[in-house]
Every structure is written in C-alpha cells, then in structure tokens.
Amino acid sequence: MGMTAVDRAPKQDRSRATRQRLLEAAVACLAEHGWAGSTVSVVAERAGVSRGAAQHHFPTREDLFTAAVEYVAEERSSALRDLFPQGAADRRAVVRALVDLFTGPLFRAALHLWVAASDEEQLRARVTELEARVGRETHRIAVDLLGADESRPGVRESVQGLLDMARGLGLANLLTDDTARRDRVVAQWATLLDTALE
Amino acid sequence: MGMTAVDRAPKQDRSRATRQRLLEAAVACLAEHGWAGSTVSVVAERAGVSRGAAQHHFPTREDLFTAAVEYVAEERSSALRDLFPQGAADRRAVVRALVDLFTGPLFRAALHLWVAASDEEQLRARVTELEARVGRETHRIAVDLLGADESRPGVRESVQGLLDMARGLGLANLLTDDTARRDRVVAQWATLLDTALE
C-alpha cells in the first residue's frame, strides 16, 4: 500500500495500520537482536513511525513486546486453522504444521522474551500470563486439527507432549538448520501419536 | 575442604580446584543473571578467585562460559550413568532422569548461552560446536540406558524425539514450576516410547 492510499484511509484504519506495523517490527526486532537490542525507539524507526506515535500505542517497552508476540501468535494460529478448514484430513500434515509454529521468527522472538523474562521481574508476570494464554490456544488448535478425543486416557498428555517436542525442536533449530533431522523425528513421532490417538 | 587442606595440596591440585570453582560459579551466574550479567569479573568474585587468576585459566569470556557449560554437562552425564550402572532396569525411571537433565541450573545456563549465541557471531561457532558434542553424548547415554537397538527402523528417531521433548519441557519450566504437568506428559510418552523400542 503506497502513502497516498494510507493518507486517504480513515483515521481509525490508519491507527490500526500503524499499530500493526509496530507489532510486526517488534517481533522482527526481537528475533534479530534479542531483548537487550530491542527498544521502543529501534522498533519505531524500523516501522517508519515516530517515537511519540509508538508510545501513544504502547506506553512501555513491556507493553509493546508482549503485545507483539501475542499478535503474531494469533496471526499464526488463524493461519494454521485456515490451512486445515476440514480438520484432521491428514494427521501427519497437521503434526508438521504444528511443529512449524516453533521454527522461524515468531519462535525466536518468543524465546528471547521468555529468557529475558526469566531474569527480569517486570517482564516475568506479563510473559508468564501471555505464555499460558498462547499455550492454551495452541493446545486447543492441536486437539481440534488432530481430531483428538481428550476424554480418553492419555490423549491430552500425548498432545501436550507433541507440543513440548515441537518447542524442543524449535530450540534445536536456533543455531543451525536442523530441518533434515527434524523431518525424520517428526515422521516417527507422528506414527507414535497415531497409536495414542486411535 | 578447609583452607588448610587446600594450602597443603600440591600446586596442580590447587589449580584444578580453582578451575572447577570458576566453572561452577560461571554456570550458576549464567543461570541466574543471563549472558548480559555474566562477566569474568563477576564469576571470579563469586568463586573467590582473583580476576588475574581467572584470566590465567580462561583468557576470554567465551572460553570461560563454553567450558563451564561443557564441564557441568559432563558432570551430569557421568552422574546419570552412575544412577543406572546396570542399564535399562526400569525404562520409565531412565526417561524421568533424562528429562530431569533439562530442568535446573545447567539447562537455564545453557539456554542463556544458546540465546546469546544466536545474536553474537563470536559465540555462535563455539556454542554450536559445544552443543553438537553435548547433544551426541546425551544421545549416546540415552541409547545405552534405554537399551535401544538403533539398527531397528524408527528407534534412533524415537530416542531423538524423546530428547527434543525433554528440551521443550525444560523450556516450559523456565518461568513457572511445570512439574505436575511434566510428570503426566512424561508418563504417557514413556509408554509410547516403550511401544517404539520393543
């Protein structure tokens, strides 16, 4: 969208677009530079927004970055639901897509935020709460898309374990490209999951 | 051991004891304060060693912290082997002990080091190499203790997936005490792993 189109948009839409640009820039910044290198000023510049406008949307640094991780997590969750509108057509494809949630910039950004929160009291409560909310939503999507019946013994824990494994695979991918090994692990554990869910 | 005993020890033993104190202090420091808060000076003070002596053992900050994570990982690996001198007597107990490797100060320290390495070129190569070495050793121990026959299809990937899940469970334990949930997940996946290994 060029500047002219933005200028013509109503004020509320412009404000929403600014907010969105800030959130996306914040996640990219966290993923690339970590918490120490991520300030409101750096993000505002990256988003092409004035520092004042950024602070109007997000009064504190904690506000900006927790909102950013939540926003991008929600975007990715809806994208995942849209990928499988009919639910568990192909369980392996669903497992692969779930694991993919934990690679890429969103996971890197979230990881930086978690690790920073483990050392900083101000962030800790915010990120703990955010993490619980995002975790519950991811679990819900996984249960739906996998067609898992959680009333059966062990099914809930099988899905949780899959998401824990996905998180661990994300961590294994942080410093090197772990794609080839990850594909083999995911194929094997998708088979084991099938046993647990049938 | 009191100071008198230390003073009587031969020079080489004293040097080894100093090195060990520095390594243990470095891991504790990383776990508590993260990479940004962990310098050679801070560790030297914590270990009760002069800054000069610390730099004699570890010329750079990268030397100190990668050596520290490796040393503590080796200590934990031998402790794990010693726990099960007869191998896979009780596979569930082995799975629990493997998962325990990824909670506690060593995992927190390693996590801080990984995340810092993802942003800092100087650390990256060192930590990537360290991580590969520690990962191979952990995998070897897991295979031995679980009595896993890797010549059978899927067995290698099952063990890898278990360790990935353990890493993800470690991450889930970073901000809150996740013990109760983790125990249930581990019990369920130990059952699934049994299917894969039999």
Side-chain angles (χ1 to χ4, degrees), chain A residues 11-83:
Chain A
K11 198 174 167 195
Q12 207 183 336
D13 286 0
R14 276 207 313 267
S15 171
R16 193 177 301 136
T18 300
R19 190 183 145 87
Q20 194 170 323
R21 278 214 307 284
L22 284 166
L23 294 171
E24 282 164 2
V27 163
C29 187
L30 254 186
E32 283 170 33
H33 307 298
W35 176 250
S38 294
T39 61
V40 176
S41 301
V42 168
V43 171
E45 196 182 328
R46 184 176 190 132
V49 168
S50 75
R51 191 154 185 279
Q55 280 182 324
H56 168 74
H57 284 278
F58 304 101
T60 72
R61 189 181 177 205
E62 287 77 16
D63 291 334
L64 172 59
F65 289 98
T66 53
V69 167
E70 180 154 27
Y71 168 77
V72 177
E74 277 168 5
E75 291 282 295
R76 295 219 54 185
S77 295
S78 350
L80 187 54
R81 285 201 188 270
D82 292 347
L83 261 184

Side-chain angles (χ1 to χ4, degrees), chain A residues 105-124:
Chain A
L106 170 62
F107 178 76
R108 290 177 60 92
L111 184 61
H112 278 107
L113 199 64
W114 288 335
V115 168
S118 77
D119 298 324
E120 294 194 23
E121 276 313 309
Q122 262 182 302
L123 253 185
R124 193 186 185 100

Side-chain angles (χ1 to χ4, degrees), chain A residues 92-165:
Chain A
R92 266 131 214 271
V94 171
V95 169
R96 274 195 302 271
L98 285 168
V99 168
D100 284 348
L101 282 181
F102 295 84
T103 57
L106 170 62
F107 178 76
R108 290 177 60 92
L111 184 61
H112 278 107
L113 199 64
W114 288 335
V115 168
S118 77
D119 298 324
E120 294 194 23
E121 276 313 309
Q122 262 182 302
L123 253 185
R124 193 186 185 100
R126 299 282 295 268
V127 174
T128 301
E129 199 239 341
L130 165 68
E131 177 48 23
R133 216 158 49 228
V134 171
R136 273 195 302 273
E137 174 62 8
T138 308
H139 183 86
R140 204 156 28 223
I141 293 175
V143 166
D144 287 353
L145 295 185
L146 292 167
D149 175 5
E150 290 200 300
S151 68
R152 294 182 45 219
V155 165
R156 182 174 175 75
E157 290 75 19
S158 297
V159 175
Q160 287 182 330
L162 173 71
L163 294 173
D164 288 312
M165 189 183 70

Side-chain angles (χ1 to χ4, degrees), chain B:
Chain B
M1 202 194 293
M3 278 306 285
T4 322
V6 170
D7 287 338
R8 271 202 305 265
K11 198 174 167 194
Q12 206 183 334
D13 286 0
R14 278 206 312 267
S15 172
R16 193 176 303 135
T18 300
R19 189 183 146 87
Q20 196 170 320
R21 278 213 308 282
L22 284 166
L23 294 172
E24 281 163 2
V27 164
C29 189
L30 254 186
E32 284 170 32
H33 307 297
W35 176 250
S38 295
T39 61
V40 176
S41 301
V42 168
V43 171
E45 196 181 328
R46 184 175 191 135
V49 168
S50 74
R51 191 156 186 279
Q55 280 181 323
H56 168 74
H57 283 279
F58 304 101
T60 70
R61 188 183 177 203
E62 287 76 17
D63 292 332
L64 172 59
F65 289 97
T66 52
V69 166
E70 179 153 29
Y71 168 77
V72 176
E74 277 167 6
E75 291 282 295
R76 297 219 54 185
S77 295
S78 349
L80 187 55
R81 285 199 189 271
D82 292 347
L83 262 185
F84 303 97
Q86 313 298 328
D90 175 353
R91 196 173 274 156
R92 265 132 214 272
V94 171
V95 169
R96 274 195 302 270
L98 285 168
V99 168
D100 283 348
L101 282 182
F102 295 85
T103 57
L106 171 62
F107 178 76
R108 289 176 60 91
L111 184 61
H112 277 107
L113 199 63
W114 289 334
V115 168
S118 77
D119 299 325
E120 293 194 24
E121 274 313 310
Q122 262 182 302
L123 254 186
R124 193 186 185 99
R126 299 284 295 269
V127 174
T128 301
E129 198 239 340
L130 165 68
E131 177 47 22
R133 216 157 53 229
V134 172
R136 272 194 303 272
E137 174 62 8
T138 309
H139 183 85
R140 202 153 33 221
I141 293 175
V143 166
D144 288 353
L145 295 185
L146 292 168
D149 175 5
E150 290 200 301
S151 69
R152 294 181 46 217
V155 165
R156 184 177 173 74
E157 290 74 19
S158 297
V159 174
Q160 288 183 330
L162 173 70
L163 294 174
D164 287 312
M165 190 182 68
R167 199 183 299 114
L169 286 165
L171 201 47
N173 199 57
L174 188 65
L175 300 181
T176 51
D177 180 358
D178 190 41
T179 310
R181 187 191 74 92
R182 182 172 64 246
D183 286 349
R184 292 192 297 271
V185 169
V186 167
Q188 168 64 7
W189 280 90
T191 309
L192 294 178
L193 187 70
D194 256 343
T195 316
L197 299 190
E198 287 316 326

